[in-house]
Amino acid sequence: DPTVQDAAYAFLSYMSAPAESNIDVTIGSTGFNPYRISQFSDLTPWLAAGLSEAAATDYLGAIKASLESPNMVLDLRIPQTAAYEQDVLDKAVASYLVGDSDEAETMQAITDGWNAITDKAGREAQLAAYNASLTVNR
């Protein structure tokens, strides 16, 4: 439907425009990391968000270095990604960080949780989706 296409385009244009995206990457609730070149070179939005110059430089430098690394891996782009990351990984790491589980228990919780999601979604289907995500034309 052209109306839906126009609405989607308008939304994505709004979200990725510098005025909005510069705000979105500086607040934790969006989950967005910087992705525009200007967001790495202009510290103004970061300073306005309350970061010190040193903290902003360190934060942006770490992300930039990881993006430029020859070992960089794209975010997981398969069905149930949120379940893998938020329902299992984030909870297990949070439990570890507050001392409720040790390293072995944390790793086992992640392994068991990810295997359960993969088995429910279909191991072969997840593998096919992952492989397809690596070969998409960029």
Side-chain angles (χ1 to χ4, degrees):
D1 179 348
T3 304
V4 174
Q5 289 178 348
D6 290 346
Y9 180 81
F11 174 74
L12 293 172
S13 294
Y14 169 76
M15 292 299 293
S16 64
E20 183 62 28
S21 66
N22 286 348
I23 295 168
D24 289 343
V25 298
T26 62
I27 54 177
S29 61
T30 65
F32 293 160
N33 283 325
Y35 58 92
R36 301 176 71 89
I37 292 171
S38 62
Q39 292 165 343
F40 289 96
S41 59
D42 180 9
L43 295 183
T44 305
W46 304 97
L47 299 175
L51 269 71
S52 69
E53 187 172 340
T57 300
D58 287 349
Y59 174 70
L60 295 170
I63 293 175
K64 186 175 182 186
S66 75
L67 292 173
E68 293 174 346
S69 170
N71 297 318
M72 194 272 296
V73 176
L74 296 172
D75 290 337
L76 190 60
R77 298 177 294 167
I78 61 172
Q80 301 299 316
T81 294
Y84 287 107
E85 293 178 356
Q86 296 166 2
D87 297 343
V88 175
L89 180 63
D90 290 354
K91 287 179 182 175
V93 171
S95 178
Y96 173 77
L97 291 174
V98 299
D100 289 344
S101 61
D102 63 23
E103 185 176 328
E105 293 167 326
T106 302
M107 295 306 297
Q108 192 62 53
I110 294 167
T111 299
D112 293 346
W114 283 13
N115 278 328
I117 295 165
T118 303
D119 290 340
K120 185 175 180 181
R123 194 163 292 275
E124 292 304 315
Q126 291 297 75
L127 179 59
Y130 176 72
N131 285 332
S133 78
L134 299 177
T135 59
V136 172
N137 292 332
R138 293 176 190 14

